[in-house]
Amino acid sequence: MSTLPALSYLISSICFIMALRGLSSPVTAKGGLNFGIIGMALAIVTTLFMKDVNSYSVILLGLFIGGGIGATIAKKIEMTSLPQLVAAFHSLVGLAAVFVAMAAFLSPEAYHIGTVGDIKIASLIEMTLGVAIGAVTFTGSIIAWGKLQGTISGKPVTFKGQHKLNALLGFTLLVLLVVLLATQSAAVFYLIIIIALALGILMIIPIGGADMPVIVSMLNSYSGWAAAGIGFTLHNNLLIVTGALVGSSGAILSYIMCKGMNRSFMNVILGGFGGEAAAGAGSDYSDKNAKIGSADDAAFLMKNANTVVIVPGYGMAVAQAQHVLREMADILKAEGVNVKYAIHPVAGRMPGHMNVLLAEANVPYDEVFELEDINRDFAQADVAYVIGANDITNPAAKNDSTSPIYGMPILDVENAKTVLFSKRSMGSGYAGIDNPLFFEDHTYMLLGDAKKMTEEIVKALETI
């Protein structure tokens, strides 16, 4: 690689690092996004002018089609569908890795890695790892998309001997890799792809809805490592660096998500947590009655409070209630009420989901607090307004050792003087268990659509 392209790729790599740094905080996220755009634009332009490019028609056609589809999706996608979109994009990255690896295997001369039947061993290892990880990412991401979209049940799909089958397929992949190195057989190469595609499905179907945020970040990591592997095959340093950045950041994010649920990564992969299978676990609250409140009750309590802590969850996202929620908060602040927002690391269906929704509604960043920064404040809060959240506020995680979420860090909303739960129904959350906080004396259930209920609260506040 000549000096100028190498320098351009280095600048692109620095831009991608700055993008990750910027995206670590809502305050700097916009700047981080701009760094990412600049880095990618520079990488594309540099690649187009590489001496190995001998035809622009197909490249430009691909850019036009892919760019058009991407722009259309970006304009139409709703914030509630971002997790599904991320999973779908991961599948495309995995599929791209598979196609590039196939092209390199079929035409190694074009990639300067040998000839058909005599590919360099190092390159063969790189492309085989890239194609295997890419295939797992492709089918695994499709299953994750289906579970998030609701086209596939969020219930864990399990069967006898499932883990043993997965282990056998994984071992088979390793054996086939050795065989491929010895024979360079096309049949073995394609068999590796088929087994990896099947393994991607079998790894994700036993995982329930509550663990999907971890799976999305895990697949993000997979897609990065697949890209890095293909980068070695293509001798493209930028692809290696970018893939490594995505792979490592996705792995770190998966760790953070697991820590937020007090679960090891292997528990997520093997546990099948989060679905109907978990229902019935924990204590029985069928003989208890909850207090049903109204918008007028909620408005009176919040307007006369000194401090209100708002806890958003996925129900808020589904109802698109973030804008009216901010309107409610603005009214309360005008009345002298101290308003804060409490964000749990696994609220919603992907990391940062609630932060993005609140930012969309122009909620000030300094009013939004993470779990470790807000939990101590609930004891001084007059009202905790929980909108569309469940498991992340369930005290069973702390005091019921039989609960499937036992040990998961939660928001301590039960310590507030009054707790208002805005939910569609008394139904359970992703974990499939009842929330004992629903039946406490200081809790009022505000049943109905989160957006409609909050709108009624706003109207009530304006008339008090």
Side-chain angles (χ1 to χ4, degrees):
M1 183 181 292
S2 60
T3 302
L4 185 57
L7 180 61
S8 296
Y9 276 173
L10 177 61
I11 296 173
S12 295
S13 299
I14 294 173
C15 286
F16 293 147
I17 294 172
M18 294 298 295
L20 285 177
R21 178 65 183 88
L23 293 172
S24 64
S25 168
V27 179
T28 58
K30 188 174 182 179
L33 183 62
N34 289 333
F35 271 115
I37 293 172
I38 293 171
M40 184 56 69
L42 180 60
I44 292 173
V45 172
T46 301
T47 303
L48 287 175
F49 285 96
M50 297 285 282
K51 62 180 182 179
D52 291 333
V53 177
N54 51 35
S55 175
Y56 287 98
S57 57
V58 176
I59 294 175
L60 294 176
L61 179 62
L63 287 173
F64 177 77
I65 295 175
I69 293 174
T72 302
I73 292 175
K75 288 182 178 180
K76 292 185 176 181
I77 195 72
E78 294 182 355
M79 290 296 179
T80 50
S81 299
L82 278 181
Q84 296 94 301
L85 179 65
V86 171
F89 282 171
H90 289 165
S91 73
L92 296 179
V93 174
L95 185 61
V98 172
F99 284 155
V100 171
M102 290 176 61
F105 185 81
L106 295 173
S107 301
E109 299 90 347
Y111 298 87
H112 311 295
I113 57 175
T115 59
V116 176
D118 188 25
I119 300 173
K120 296 177 182 178
I121 296 300
S123 297
L124 199 59
I125 294 174
E126 293 158 4
M127 75 172 67
T128 304
L129 291 176
V131 77
I133 298 174
V136 168
T137 304
F138 173 61
T139 52
S141 296
I142 290 177
I143 298 300
W145 172 85
K147 284 178 175 281
L148 291 169
Q149 185 69 18
T151 56
I152 300 175
S153 172
K155 177 182 177 180
V157 179
T158 58
F159 54 85
K160 187 177 180 180
Q162 187 171 36
H163 300 319
K164 292 181 179 179
L165 175 60
N166 289 348
L168 177 62
L169 290 177
F171 178 75
T172 302
L173 283 177
L174 294 177
V175 173
L176 290 175
L177 171 59
V178 175
V179 174
L180 181 65
L181 294 178
T183 65
Q184 300 204 13
S185 166
V188 174
F189 184 75
Y190 291 129
L191 186 58
I192 289 175
I193 296 176
I194 293 172
I195 293 177
L197 290 171
L199 190 59
I201 297 174
L202 293 172
M203 284 178 60
I204 305 303
I205 58 171
I207 300 170
D211 282 331
M212 276 302 113
V214 180
I215 297 307
V216 170
S217 61
M218 180 195 75
L219 292 169
N220 176 49
S221 179
Y222 284 3
S223 67
W225 297 125
I230 296 303
F232 282 103
T233 301
L234 300 178
H235 304 292
N236 188 303
N237 293 333
L238 181 62
L239 193 55
I240 296 171
V241 172
T242 305
L245 284 173
V246 173
S248 57
S249 61
I252 293 171
L253 187 57
S254 298
Y255 168 77
I256 293 173
M257 298 297 289
C258 287
K259 185 178 179 181
M261 299 189 302
N262 194 36
R263 290 165 60 74
S264 71
F265 185 72
M266 291 308 297
N267 285 151
V268 174
I269 296 299
L270 301 177
F273 172 76
E276 297 171 26
S283 302
D284 181 15
Y285 299 96
S286 58
D287 60 338
K288 293 184 176 293
N289 294 315
K291 292 182 178 179
I292 306 300
S294 66
D296 291 333
D297 297 330
F300 177 82
L301 288 166
M302 285 194 276
K303 193 167 186 176
N304 288 281
N306 290 318
T307 300
V308 173
V309 180
I310 299 172
V311 180
Y314 187 67
M316 181 197 76
V318 172
Q320 287 286 281
Q322 62 269 29
H323 296 283
V324 67
L325 184 66
R326 193 218 65 209
E327 184 181 353
M328 182 190 81
D330 288 344
I331 294 174
L332 291 174
K333 287 188 290 184
E335 295 292 331
V337 179
N338 181 24
V339 177
K340 300 178 180 180
Y341 296 82
I343 305 296
H344 192 282
V346 295
R349 289 191 172 181
M350 67 180 291
H353 199 178
M354 296 301 104
N355 301 76
V356 171
L357 291 172
L358 294 179
E360 183 192 24
N362 294 318
V363 172
Y365 298 135
D366 58 0
E367 294 178 5
V368 181
F369 298 88
E370 302 296 329
L371 180 145
E372 60 271 14
D373 299 319
I374 194 68
N375 255 356
R376 65 178 67 91
D377 295 346
F378 280 107
Q380 287 76 47
D382 296 291
V383 176
Y385 182 57
V386 184
I387 175 169
N390 194 338
D391 295 331
I392 61 174
T393 65
N394 194 332
K398 296 188 294 184
N399 52 39
D400 185 357
S401 60
T402 66
S403 173
I405 64 171
Y406 182 68
M408 183 180 84
I410 63 164
L411 291 165
D412 296 332
V413 298
E414 77 273 14
N415 293 334
K417 294 181 178 65
T418 302
V419 181
L420 303 174
F421 263 97
S422 176
K423 287 182 85 274
R424 282 188 176 275
S425 68
M426 294 289 292
S428 60
Y430 278 131
I433 57 173
D434 288 325
N435 189 337
L437 186 55
F438 292 174
F439 309 101
E440 294 292 334
D441 290 336
H442 67 310
T443 299
Y444 292 87
M445 302 301 298
L446 309 176
L447 302 181
D449 178 79
K451 183 178 181 180
K452 183 177 180 181
M453 177 59 67
T454 307
E455 288 174 342
E456 292 176 358
I457 292 174
V458 168
K459 291 178 182 179
L461 285 170
E462 293 173 340
T463 58
I464 294 179

